[in-house]
Amino acid sequence: MASSSSPFMAKLSLALLVLFMGSATAQLSSQDFYSKSCPKLFPTVKSTVQSAIAKETRMGASLLRLFFHDCFVNGCDGSVLLDDTSNFVGEKTANANRNSVRGFDVIDNIKSAVEGVCPGVVSCADILAITARDSVVLLGGPSWDVKLGRRDARTTSRAAANNGIPPPTFNLNRLISRFNALGLSTQDLIALSGSHTIGQARCTSFRARIYNETNIDKSFAQTRQSNCPRTNGSGDNNLAPLDLQSPTVFDNNYHKNLIQNKGLLHSDQQLYNGGSTDSIVRSYADSQTNFFNDFVSAMIKMGDISPLTGSKGEIRKNCRRAN
């Protein structure tokens, strides 16, 4: 009895092992994931991103930031796009996102255009990943093959976002710790922070730095103070470029600024403040090629954070709500 059933048991064990391994190591696929199911995907996304950036150059930075804030909360699952429901309060009103994260209407337009060429096929999470890449490229940065196959979350929470997204008040050790917890190295932290070479920040995010901190260039601080009053509640939403030189061009000026103590956010300047990461910042300031290469690697790595694949999650028809 035992000997006659052993081949069957062996096959069953092997099947279960393969099944377990498949679910435990679910991974994203290559850029060709939608090549047959949605062959017009990439040009459709790119043309819509291009149109949005043509209307407002800052939008490129906003779309890139959406992908960051999505991946740092329960992985890259499109959860940042969900509106609140009677069942949950979502991420849009979290501390890091409230009155700050933007571009949701552009994602709506992209999703609508993609649904027009291949309905029910492409996830909102994958659209965020492609949109981030296209935004970087259109603003002069590097390109890369985006890994695909993510599915969309059906729910999320504001608490998860409050706990997941590092605020601009973090010091270096806390930044490193948060990135490490997501499988991102210290080098990834410095490279990904280079995305602050584009975009703007609100006065509330940098007020304490420009008035209270000493590791800041005095003329730079005075320039920023002219549009950001000391008093809380006054000019809170006034904007300043994260990169003084070229806020609409993806380059390595962000790292050059840090060496001159011209980082706008406290968390920015922490990367170059006499600590363990100074040498990495200098290497990126010296070589844009080095920065671009490491940024690409870090973006691909970040895009791998806890994706929903296979039968998990869903392909949302509307990025703002579950089906």
Side-chain angles (χ1 to χ4, degrees):
M1 181 85 171
S3 61
S4 63
S5 64
S6 59
F8 168 75
M9 293 302 295
K11 289 181 180 178
L12 179 61
S13 298
L14 181 60
L16 289 173
L17 179 62
V18 170
L19 179 64
F20 172 76
M21 288 178 66
S23 60
T25 61
Q27 294 180 336
L28 299 177
S29 301
S30 71
Q31 183 158 297
D32 297 330
F33 184 78
Y34 296 108
S35 59
K36 292 183 179 178
S37 59
C38 192
K40 296 180 180 179
L41 172 61
F42 292 120
T44 301
V45 173
K46 186 175 182 180
S47 64
T48 312
V49 174
Q50 206 160 16
S51 176
I53 291 177
K55 290 178 183 175
E56 183 195 8
T57 313
R58 180 190 171 204
M59 186 55 68
S62 299
L63 294 172
L64 174 59
R65 187 167 181 242
L66 268 181
F67 186 51
F68 274 82
H69 283 219
D70 184 42
C71 291
F72 268 69
V73 183
N74 298 328
C76 312
D77 59 2
S79 60
V80 70
L81 304 173
L82 288 168
D83 286 340
D84 295 351
T85 72
S86 57
N87 297 319
F88 65 80
V89 177
E91 301 171 32
K92 292 181 177 179
T93 53
N95 295 332
N97 295 336
R98 186 176 58 251
N99 300 322
S100 175
V101 168
R102 55 201 295 276
F104 298 109
D105 53 338
V106 176
I107 299 298
D108 289 340
N109 292 339
I110 295 171
K111 177 63 172 174
S112 178
V114 171
E115 286 292 301
V117 295
C118 49
V121 172
V122 183
S123 68
C124 299
D126 275 349
I127 284 175
L128 279 179
I130 300 168
T131 299
R133 188 270 310 276
D134 288 353
S135 295
V136 169
V137 172
L138 288 167
L139 293 179
S143 184
W144 62 94
D145 288 346
V146 179
K147 292 164 71 174
L148 300 170
R150 301 170 190 82
R151 289 167 65 83
D152 298 320
R154 295 186 176 96
T155 186
T156 186
S157 77
R158 180 166 60 192
N162 282 335
N163 292 328
I165 303 169
T169 54
F170 265 18
N171 63 23
L172 181 59
N173 287 337
R174 296 186 76 183
L175 287 169
I176 290 173
S177 177
R178 180 62 192 135
F179 275 68
N180 286 174
L182 295 171
L184 298 169
S185 68
T186 301
Q187 182 167 290
D188 294 329
L189 160 65
I190 312 302
L192 290 172
S193 296
S195 62
H196 283 180
T197 185
I198 53 176
Q200 302 188 56
R202 295 184 303 146
C203 171
T204 51
S205 299
F206 59 84
R207 176 182 280 126
R209 169 153 168 76
I210 62 174
Y211 285 104
N212 303 332
E213 297 186 9
T214 56
N215 61 339
I216 186 170
D217 179 86
K218 288 185 179 180
S219 63
F220 173 72
Q222 289 171 352
T223 299
R224 294 282 69 91
Q225 288 169 7
S226 66
N227 195 41
C228 181
R230 184 188 292 270
T231 308
N232 287 336
S234 178
D236 285 0
N237 293 319
N238 291 353
L239 299 171
L242 287 158
D243 170 3
L244 192 64
Q245 278 77 26
S246 51
T248 60
V249 178
F250 198 96
D251 54 25
N252 66 337
N253 273 330
Y254 166 81
H255 297 100
K256 292 179 179 179
N257 291 337
L258 296 185
I259 293 174
Q260 299 174 32
N261 282 339
K262 294 179 180 178
L264 183 63
L265 306 179
H266 172 80
S267 55
D268 286 331
Q269 198 59 57
Q270 283 290 295
L271 306 183
Y272 192 87
N273 194 36
S276 59
T277 55
D278 285 11
S279 60
I280 303 176
V281 173
R282 280 195 299 269
S283 73
Y284 293 162
D286 290 341
S287 172
Q288 183 166 281
T289 300
N290 287 346
F291 164 48
F292 279 9
N293 289 339
D294 287 352
F295 179 80
V296 164
S297 297
M299 283 295 289
I300 294 171
K301 204 168 166 184
M302 185 181 76
D304 279 342
I305 299 174
S306 304
L308 299 174
T309 58
S311 60
K312 296 178 181 178
E314 65 182 15
I315 305 297
R316 275 187 236 140
K317 296 174 183 175
N318 182 328
C319 290
R320 293 176 180 265
R321 59 176 181 267
N323 294 339

